[in-house]
Amino acid sequence: MSPTTTADPTPTDQTNVADRDKARRWREGGSEPLLRVRDLRVTFQRQGQEPFEAVQGVSFDVHPGQTVGLVGESGCGKSVTSLAIMGLLPQRGNKVTGTVDYEGTNLLDLSDQQMRDKRGKDIAMVFQDPLSSLNPVVPIGLQVTEVLERHRGMSRKAATPVARELLDRVGIPDPDRRLKDYPHQLSGGMRQRALIAIALACQPRLLIADEPTTALDVTIQAQILALLKELVEESGTALVMITHDLGVVAGLCDEVNVLYGGRIVERGDRHDLFAQPRHPYTHGLLASIPRLDAPRGQRLTPIPGSVSDNLPWTSACAFAPRCSQPIEVCTQKMPELEEHHQRALRCFNPVEATR
Amino acid sequence: MNPSPMDPRPSAKKDRIDSLAETSGRGGTATAVKDVHVGAAGKVKDTGGVSLIASAWARLRRNPVFLLGLAITVVFVLLALFAPLLAPNDPTKRMPELLEDLSRSTNPVPGPEAGFPLGSDDFGRDLLSRLIVGARQTLIVGVFATLFGLAGGIILGTLAGAFGGWVDSLVMRIVDVMLSVPSLLLAVSIAALAPRPSQWTVIIAIAVVQVPIFARLLRGSMLAQRASDHVLAARALGVKQSSIVFRHMLPNSLGPVIVQSTLVLATSIIDAAALSFLGLGNPDDRQPEWGQMLGASQQWIRDYPHLAFYPAACIIVVALGFTLMGESLREALDPKSRR
Amino acid sequence: MLRFIVRRLVQMVGVLIVLSLLLFLWLRSLPGGTVSAILGERATPASRAAMEAQFGLDQPVWVQYAKFVGRVLQGNFGPSTAVLPGRDALDIFLQRLPATIELSLFALAIAVALGIPLGYFAARRKETFLDNASVVGSLIGVAVPVFFLGFLLQRVFAIELGWLPVSGRQSTGLDATRITGFFVLDGILTREWDAAWDSFKHLILPAVTLATIPFAVVFRITRASVLEVLDEDYIRTAESKGLTARIIRGRHILRNAMLPVTTTIGLQVGALLAGAVLTETVFGFAGVGDALATAFRLRDYAVLQVLILAAAGIYVIVNLLVDIMYAVIDPRVRTR
């Protein structure tokens, strides 16, 4: 659990108001969305096995400079969504449909070569485990400069000072020495900083961070999140933050999408979502976080069961077997994602608004 | 002197053995993870009972490479079992029809004629019958060499893996030395010790070569087991050391051993042929064996290459069958390759 | 790094001590032993005893072992009894060694040149027809007895087609200058191009035959290793950076996948030596393997001692060199 979750996730009123203004601007067409994902579906198909739809029609927008969270348990399809956007799913054994519209081009229609030109330059990604995500036999410096050589046409010699600069900007001390170091010589936090430096090397307009802090120590997690936030705000990069950790969402995201079983079950501005979770799943997630201001002796309320209890979405609400307040219709047909008041909700029997 | 687990690289031979050994330590976990993943798909399907073997079988059933190997093996074993019934003639009898044509100086190896589709060997015996019956002897050599090698390996490997400490060090030093001699050279050296070569000296020579491989394999997987959670749990519950070894560690180490055995079946048949070729095989040809036939055929290789070709073809097909089966088993049992 | 080398050296000495003990015991338990080998059928109890005293076989076992070790350390293995009667056994080994090294290196070069690219492409096309076919193909290579393959190639390319020489290391009557004992190299050094070409032609068939052994291993290790690397997170990172396929292949996939392959290549020595025994016999290629086969057949124990000790010694030393090389090429070990 990250330190931010133990603190009160509700920010102060002033920032609250400012953020809401920002959110409204995005939604009311102040800008065209940078990334528009519509009805994204990913089906894994292995020979002799039943096909398995990991992402079942996910739609969301990311505006320039906006930070959007995709939240859910492992197996809910959030990582698959990000890999599908990046075109990084294995070439065989899966089918991706829908549209991933990036500045007017559908990324799913691009050829392998065109996608290679976009990746690392326009859209970059930061991964979960910084040790395994860095090539162990290539010095850090080269792993940074190779992106610059590829997308900015720089020579190795010209790229080196830029790489040094980048490492310095992400807070790696003594960057000259670190350029020659190999990943195993860096600490976990330093490695993640290096990965962030690599991702931001070509100043992409969109950054996807897939659980960037999960593999790190608690104290380092906060530093990395702060760094990401700072860099993103400085450069106006849009960020898609994929996480299972609501603490990360609370500290960073403008808008939050909660995924369950491959579909979005609830979407909203982070303040609204935290203050008034409507979907029982979101509610359950929030209730299962230990809070410092909770009265002594109050029990934690975990969500019972696991994802293996899921019902198929096609005929019911997948979450029904684990839900705290299911009604009859929940197991009979699928609830639709309905939008109202800048929120979206997929539930027959939402949690009552408390305020 | 004991190589620590942090050793960057043991030898490739050792490395290969060790990486195979590891598969036993991780197999169970991988299945569990996989099941959860299937569950996450929202499919209503009972995955609780899927064991490692069942899931491996599910993969193997669709693997053409494995099926080819299995088919060859089944045909070979059936041939070996029913050889005397299938052979048209007595493989040891010098057939009068063939002897009629045989002449030391002008026609030492009579060719095919009515009733003898492959012709004669250099003694007037029916080549086809000898090949068919040879399947049985070949299987015997392969199976016994593997079993003896396995038995020796189990004893050494269990000692080392179960006790650790100095027993482990001592056993593994001996094993390392045995591995340092090229395998054929070791087999030849052992075979040379016998005053009179026979089928059994060939079997033992081949078996000895396999002992260090099996020993290292078993030790490796037992060490992986020893550190695994279920053995720790058994130990925490106060289960006796001997029951832990025999009920928990040994059975769970068997997967890689079965894989290796399949591969050894193939190499023993080939090695038996090599020993015959080097003049250290079984000289008694009343019970024909393919390796022996191939080894003996070299004196005729210039003028009558078919004498070498038929047994060689049999050896190649059967060895290929076992190898294909073993390699696909290895891949199916390796959690790293399942995705 | 230094500690690592020292530890491996100590380990190596341990292995060699155990090996000398086993070799000693082995020589003692050979049927008849040295005495019968020399006296043959004519042995009488009296002549046996005299001979045993001459060789010190009447002394306690540990004294005999000590003397044995002493002789080995001095390189004194006694004269050959059958391979080249009267010649010093060590001399025979040293004179034969270049041929085997030349053959093995050439075979290894073929195996590497074919095995690595094929292994890589099979892995990239996992579970396709090409992959399955090349896996089965490499396993056929394993299943064919080496000496039979030798016969087959000899028959087709030397006897039937007449493209290549049937056997030997060099055509007779070609009075080539000897410098190193590596005939092809000698030809190049002395600029006797016809001699170099002739030796090279003699080398092709045995080398191709012998190459099947390391080829199968190099191919399979490369394939397995590339498959493993392809699954690694850093390959996904490299793809997410939009790098070109060429850079991803060279810098990210192969640079990692080659680590285990390098060790494997180094450690094919043992298999090559065993294969050389069979290959050299088939092609009458006068190397160590041919001498070894002859020594076994004719029970020339002096030559056997040298060859077995040398085989194991070479294996152990190469093992050490490979470990050191590995430490040098893998930054994780090098910079620890």
Side-chain angles (χ1 to χ4, degrees), chain A residues 62-63 65-69 205-209 228-229 232 237-241 252:
Chain A
V62 182
H63 293 263
Q66 190 187 15
T67 297
V68 172
R205 299 196 60 202
L206 177 64
L207 178 66
I208 301 179
L228 264 178
K229 186 172 182 157
V232 162
T237 307
L239 176 65
V240 174
M241 178 63 99
L252 211 58

PDB file of all heavy atoms in Angstrom, chain A residues 62-63 65-69 205-209 228-229 232 237-241 252:
ATOM      1  N   VAL A  62      -8.454  10.559 -23.823  1.00  0.00           N
ATOM      2  CA  VAL A  62      -7.390  11.228 -23.087  1.00  0.00           C
ATOM      3  C   VAL A  62      -7.117  12.541 -23.802  1.00  0.00           C
ATOM      4  O   VAL A  62      -6.818  12.555 -24.988  1.00  0.00           O
ATOM      5  CB  VAL A  62      -6.108  10.375 -23.048  1.00  0.00           C
ATOM      6  CG1 VAL A  62      -5.043  11.077 -22.223  1.00  0.00           C
ATOM      7  CG2 VAL A  62      -6.375   8.991 -22.500  1.00  0.00           C
ATOM      8  N   HIS A  63      -7.265  13.663 -23.069  1.00  0.00           N
ATOM      9  CA  HIS A  63      -7.011  14.976 -23.656  1.00  0.00           C
ATOM     10  C   HIS A  63      -5.569  15.364 -23.434  1.00  0.00           C
ATOM     11  O   HIS A  63      -4.914  14.854 -22.520  1.00  0.00           O
ATOM     12  CB  HIS A  63      -7.952  16.011 -23.020  1.00  0.00           C
ATOM     13  CG  HIS A  63      -9.380  15.763 -23.379  1.00  0.00           C
ATOM     14  ND1 HIS A  63     -10.010  16.409 -24.399  1.00  0.00           N
ATOM     15  CD2 HIS A  63     -10.290  14.913 -22.844  1.00  0.00           C
ATOM     16  CE1 HIS A  63     -11.250  15.977 -24.489  1.00  0.00           C
ATOM     17  NE2 HIS A  63     -11.456  15.065 -23.556  1.00  0.00           N
ATOM     18  N   GLY A  65      -2.379  16.696 -22.050  1.00  0.00           N
ATOM     19  CA  GLY A  65      -2.026  17.117 -20.706  1.00  0.00           C
ATOM     20  C   GLY A  65      -2.842  16.482 -19.600  1.00  0.00           C
ATOM     21  O   GLY A  65      -2.583  16.718 -18.427  1.00  0.00           O
ATOM     22  N   GLN A  66      -3.823  15.693 -19.946  1.00  0.00           N
ATOM     23  CA  GLN A  66      -4.686  15.097 -18.932  1.00  0.00           C
ATOM     24  C   GLN A  66      -4.058  13.815 -18.395  1.00  0.00           C
ATOM     25  O   GLN A  66      -3.326  13.119 -19.094  1.00  0.00           O
ATOM     26  CB  GLN A  66      -6.045  14.781 -19.558  1.00  0.00           C
ATOM     27  CG  GLN A  66      -7.109  14.388 -18.551  1.00  0.00           C
ATOM     28  CD  GLN A  66      -8.389  13.912 -19.241  1.00  0.00           C
ATOM     29  OE1 GLN A  66      -8.380  13.615 -20.428  1.00  0.00           O
ATOM     30  NE2 GLN A  66      -9.458  13.855 -18.488  1.00  0.00           N
ATOM     31  N   THR A  67      -4.351  13.482 -17.141  1.00  0.00           N
ATOM     32  CA  THR A  67      -3.921  12.213 -16.585  1.00  0.00           C
ATOM     33  C   THR A  67      -5.141  11.353 -16.319  1.00  0.00           C
ATOM     34  O   THR A  67      -6.033  11.749 -15.571  1.00  0.00           O
ATOM     35  CB  THR A  67      -3.138  12.424 -15.274  1.00  0.00           C
ATOM     36  OG1 THR A  67      -1.967  13.175 -15.581  1.00  0.00           O
ATOM     37  CG2 THR A  67      -2.738  11.104 -14.673  1.00  0.00           C
ATOM     38  N   VAL A  68      -5.198  10.221 -16.982  1.00  0.00           N
ATOM     39  CA  VAL A  68      -6.349   9.332 -16.870  1.00  0.00           C
ATOM     40  C   VAL A  68      -5.913   8.033 -16.221  1.00  0.00           C
ATOM     41  O   VAL A  68      -4.887   7.458 -16.588  1.00  0.00           O
ATOM     42  CB  VAL A  68      -6.932   9.040 -18.273  1.00  0.00           C
ATOM     43  CG1 VAL A  68      -8.012   7.976 -18.204  1.00  0.00           C
ATOM     44  CG2 VAL A  68      -7.473  10.316 -18.890  1.00  0.00           C
ATOM     45  N   GLY A  69      -6.683   7.590 -15.229  1.00  0.00           N
ATOM     46  CA  GLY A  69      -6.335   6.343 -14.556  1.00  0.00           C
ATOM     47  C   GLY A  69      -7.177   5.184 -15.060  1.00  0.00           C
ATOM     48  O   GLY A  69      -8.359   5.342 -15.344  1.00  0.00           O
ATOM     49  N   ARG A 205       3.841  12.910 -26.673  1.00  0.00           N
ATOM     50  CA  ARG A 205       2.660  13.645 -26.217  1.00  0.00           C
ATOM     51  C   ARG A 205       1.808  12.779 -25.310  1.00  0.00           C
ATOM     52  O   ARG A 205       0.934  13.263 -24.610  1.00  0.00           O
ATOM     53  CB  ARG A 205       1.840  14.121 -27.424  1.00  0.00           C
ATOM     54  CG  ARG A 205       2.667  15.067 -28.295  1.00  0.00           C
ATOM     55  CD  ARG A 205       1.790  15.823 -29.230  1.00  0.00           C
ATOM     56  NE  ARG A 205       0.804  16.613 -28.513  1.00  0.00           N
ATOM     57  CZ  ARG A 205      -0.333  17.042 -29.036  1.00  0.00           C
ATOM     58  NH1 ARG A 205      -0.620  16.749 -30.288  1.00  0.00           N
ATOM     59  NH2 ARG A 205      -1.185  17.753 -28.332  1.00  0.00           N
ATOM     60  N   LEU A 206       2.032  11.458 -25.377  1.00  0.00           N
ATOM     61  CA  LEU A 206       1.264  10.548 -24.532  1.00  0.00           C
ATOM     62  C   LEU A 206       2.211   9.546 -23.875  1.00  0.00           C
ATOM     63  O   LEU A 206       3.070   8.956 -24.528  1.00  0.00           O
ATOM     64  CB  LEU A 206       0.235   9.793 -25.387  1.00  0.00           C
ATOM     65  CG  LEU A 206      -0.611   8.739 -24.658  1.00  0.00           C
ATOM     66  CD1 LEU A 206      -1.498   9.381 -23.606  1.00  0.00           C
ATOM     67  CD2 LEU A 206      -1.452   7.942 -25.644  1.00  0.00           C
ATOM     68  N   LEU A 207       2.052   9.399 -22.574  1.00  0.00           N
ATOM     69  CA  LEU A 207       2.860   8.432 -21.839  1.00  0.00           C
ATOM     70  C   LEU A 207       1.919   7.442 -21.172  1.00  0.00           C
ATOM     71  O   LEU A 207       0.936   7.837 -20.541  1.00  0.00           O
ATOM     72  CB  LEU A 207       3.702   9.157 -20.781  1.00  0.00           C
ATOM     73  CG  LEU A 207       4.581   8.275 -19.892  1.00  0.00           C
ATOM     74  CD1 LEU A 207       5.674   7.619 -20.703  1.00  0.00           C
ATOM     75  CD2 LEU A 207       5.185   9.103 -18.763  1.00  0.00           C
ATOM     76  N   ILE A 208       2.201   6.161 -21.353  1.00  0.00           N
ATOM     77  CA  ILE A 208       1.405   5.151 -20.666  1.00  0.00           C
ATOM     78  C   ILE A 208       2.278   4.538 -19.586  1.00  0.00           C
ATOM     79  O   ILE A 208       3.382   4.072 -19.870  1.00  0.00           O
ATOM     80  CB  ILE A 208       0.937   4.052 -21.646  1.00  0.00           C
ATOM     81  CG1 ILE A 208       0.112   4.681 -22.770  1.00  0.00           C
ATOM     82  CG2 ILE A 208       0.116   3.002 -20.910  1.00  0.00           C
ATOM     83  CD1 ILE A 208      -0.371   3.694 -23.797  1.00  0.00           C
ATOM     84  N   ALA A 209       1.806   4.575 -18.347  1.00  0.00           N
ATOM     85  CA  ALA A 209       2.579   4.012 -17.246  1.00  0.00           C
ATOM     86  C   ALA A 209       1.805   2.826 -16.690  1.00  0.00           C
ATOM     87  O   ALA A 209       0.714   2.979 -16.171  1.00  0.00           O
ATOM     88  CB  ALA A 209       2.811   5.061 -16.170  1.00  0.00           C
ATOM     89  N   LEU A 228       6.880  11.680 -11.736  1.00  0.00           N
ATOM     90  CA  LEU A 228       6.027  11.549 -12.910  1.00  0.00           C
ATOM     91  C   LEU A 228       5.101  12.745 -13.041  1.00  0.00           C
ATOM     92  O   LEU A 228       4.958  13.335 -14.108  1.00  0.00           O
ATOM     93  CB  LEU A 228       5.183  10.268 -12.792  1.00  0.00           C
ATOM     94  CG  LEU A 228       5.715   9.017 -13.493  1.00  0.00           C
ATOM     95  CD1 LEU A 228       4.794   7.847 -13.240  1.00  0.00           C
ATOM     96  CD2 LEU A 228       5.875   9.246 -14.992  1.00  0.00           C
ATOM     97  N   LYS A 229       4.493  13.092 -11.903  1.00  0.00           N
ATOM     98  CA  LYS A 229       3.543  14.189 -11.907  1.00  0.00           C
ATOM     99  C   LYS A 229       4.207  15.491 -12.352  1.00  0.00           C
ATOM    100  O   LYS A 229       3.700  16.201 -13.213  1.00  0.00           O
ATOM    101  CB  LYS A 229       2.975  14.343 -10.487  1.00  0.00           C
ATOM    102  CG  LYS A 229       1.875  15.361 -10.375  1.00  0.00           C
ATOM    103  CD  LYS A 229       1.233  15.329  -9.006  1.00  0.00           C
ATOM    104  CE  LYS A 229       0.109  16.350  -8.975  1.00  0.00           C
ATOM    105  NZ  LYS A 229      -0.870  16.053  -7.954  1.00  0.00           N
ATOM    106  N   VAL A 232       5.196  15.366 -16.119  1.00  0.00           N
ATOM    107  CA  VAL A 232       4.031  15.419 -16.985  1.00  0.00           C
ATOM    108  C   VAL A 232       3.461  16.831 -17.030  1.00  0.00           C
ATOM    109  O   VAL A 232       3.110  17.349 -18.079  1.00  0.00           O
ATOM    110  CB  VAL A 232       2.989  14.395 -16.490  1.00  0.00           C
ATOM    111  CG1 VAL A 232       1.627  14.704 -17.047  1.00  0.00           C
ATOM    112  CG2 VAL A 232       3.421  12.998 -16.857  1.00  0.00           C
ATOM    113  N   THR A 237       2.598  16.575 -21.125  1.00  0.00           N
ATOM    114  CA  THR A 237       2.371  15.238 -21.665  1.00  0.00           C
ATOM    115  C   THR A 237       1.109  14.650 -21.049  1.00  0.00           C
ATOM    116  O   THR A 237       0.875  14.785 -19.850  1.00  0.00           O
ATOM    117  CB  THR A 237       3.567  14.330 -21.318  1.00  0.00           C
ATOM    118  OG1 THR A 237       4.753  14.963 -21.743  1.00  0.00           O
ATOM    119  CG2 THR A 237       3.426  12.977 -21.966  1.00  0.00           C
ATOM    120  N   ALA A 238       0.303  14.003 -21.890  1.00  0.00           N
ATOM    121  CA  ALA A 238      -0.855  13.296 -21.349  1.00  0.00           C
ATOM    122  C   ALA A 238      -0.381  11.965 -20.785  1.00  0.00           C
ATOM    123  O   ALA A 238       0.571  11.371 -21.285  1.00  0.00           O
ATOM    124  CB  ALA A 238      -1.883  13.059 -22.446  1.00  0.00           C
ATOM    125  N   LEU A 239      -1.046  11.520 -19.713  1.00  0.00           N
ATOM    126  CA  LEU A 239      -0.586  10.309 -19.038  1.00  0.00           C
ATOM    127  C   LEU A 239      -1.746   9.347 -18.834  1.00  0.00           C
ATOM    128  O   LEU A 239      -2.815   9.744 -18.362  1.00  0.00           O
ATOM    129  CB  LEU A 239       0.032  10.696 -17.682  1.00  0.00           C
ATOM    130  CG  LEU A 239       0.504   9.576 -16.775  1.00  0.00           C
ATOM    131  CD1 LEU A 239       1.655   8.818 -17.395  1.00  0.00           C
ATOM    132  CD2 LEU A 239       0.916  10.140 -15.416  1.00  0.00           C
ATOM    133  N   VAL A 240      -1.556   8.112 -19.229  1.00  0.00           N
ATOM    134  CA  VAL A 240      -2.516   7.061 -18.874  1.00  0.00           C
ATOM    135  C   VAL A 240      -1.858   6.247 -17.776  1.00  0.00           C
ATOM    136  O   VAL A 240      -0.802   5.656 -17.984  1.00  0.00           O
ATOM    137  CB  VAL A 240      -2.861   6.163 -20.080  1.00  0.00           C
ATOM    138  CG1 VAL A 240      -3.743   5.010 -19.643  1.00  0.00           C
ATOM    139  CG2 VAL A 240      -3.546   6.977 -21.160  1.00  0.00           C
ATOM    140  N   MET A 241      -2.473   6.273 -16.594  1.00  0.00           N
ATOM    141  CA  MET A 241      -1.870   5.610 -15.448  1.00  0.00           C
ATOM    142  C   MET A 241      -2.639   4.331 -15.169  1.00  0.00           C
ATOM    143  O   MET A 241      -3.823   4.369 -14.877  1.00  0.00           O
ATOM    144  CB  MET A 241      -1.936   6.567 -14.253  1.00  0.00           C
ATOM    145  CG  MET A 241      -1.389   5.995 -12.989  1.00  0.00           C
ATOM    146  SD  MET A 241       0.345   5.625 -13.162  1.00  0.00           S
ATOM    147  CE  MET A 241       1.051   7.033 -12.413  1.00  0.00           C
ATOM    148  N   LEU A 252      -2.769  11.464  -8.418  1.00  0.00           N
ATOM    149  CA  LEU A 252      -2.246  11.793  -9.728  1.00  0.00           C
ATOM    150  C   LEU A 252      -3.290  12.060 -10.804  1.00  0.00           C
ATOM    151  O   LEU A 252      -3.103  12.903 -11.663  1.00  0.00           O
ATOM    152  CB  LEU A 252      -1.357  10.615 -10.163  1.00  0.00           C
ATOM    153  CG  LEU A 252      -0.179  10.926 -11.065  1.00  0.00           C
ATOM    154  CD1 LEU A 252       0.733  11.928 -10.392  1.00  0.00           C
ATOM    155  CD2 LEU A 252       0.578   9.637 -11.357  1.00  0.00           C
TER     156      LEU A 252
END
